[in-house]
Amino acid sequence: MVPQGEHSHVAFQVHLSNNLQNLGLHQAILFDSVLLNEGGGYSVHSGEFVAPVSGLYIFSWTISAGDRTCTKYDIVKNSAVLMYFTSDAYDHDDWDSSSGTVVTRMNSGDRVWLRIADMLTCSHWVFGIGLGTSSFSGFLLH
């Protein structure tokens, strides 16, 4: 945890180093390659960022789907869905990526993560081949 006086040093940047296939309903997307984890808030085991201090946070992400795949996913804070997205290359031979940004007030101990949203018509593959193909990041604004 970050001592209150050092709260300006909270930031993380993670990405996938491989493809994730056939993810289940509400399964967290586990980003396994950590590029930055100032403050220790991101866990590769749960895929969650846990706020070490209270404040205003900014999160951003990119999720890629490859040829003839699609992924429907949410960004979740605690138990509330903040946004819903789709990366959809289901009916064509090409990649599709979706990206988003959310700004939210977090209390110390609040959690944020990306998870599979629903199972309708999608194979739920998340592509991670290549640096930063699918990625997740966040930082404390103030």
Side-chain angles (χ1 to χ4, degrees), residues 63-128:
I63 299 295
S64 296
D67 296 346
R68 304 233 171 243
T69 67
C70 67
T71 300
K72 295 179 182 179
Y73 64 97
D74 302 319
I75 183 162
V76 180
K77 176 182 165 187
N78 298 324
S79 60
V81 173
L82 298 177
M83 293 182 173
Y84 172 86
F85 286 84
T86 302
S87 296
D88 188 0
Y90 188 73
D91 62 353
H92 58 279
D93 290 326
D94 197 1
W95 285 51
D96 187 70
S97 295
S98 59
S99 297
T101 302
V102 66
V103 180
T104 187
R105 183 154 305 280
M106 306 262 297
N107 293 315
S108 178
D110 282 351
R111 303 173 303 130
V112 169
W113 70 99
L114 297 169
R115 72 175 189 190
I116 299 304
D118 65 46
M119 303 306 288
L120 300 175
T121 69
C122 278
S123 55
H124 297 297
W125 285 35
V126 179
F127 277 64

Side-chain angles (χ1 to χ4, degrees), residues 39-56:
Y42 181 78
S43 168
V44 295
H45 305 293
S46 68
E48 297 177 350
F49 171 79
V50 179
V53 296
S54 298
L56 192 62

Side-chain angles (χ1 to χ4, degrees), residues 121-140:
T121 69
C122 278
S123 55
H124 297 297
W125 285 35
V126 179
F127 277 64
I129 302 293
L131 181 62
T133 301
S134 291
S135 61
F136 183 33
S137 63
F139 62 93
L140 175 65

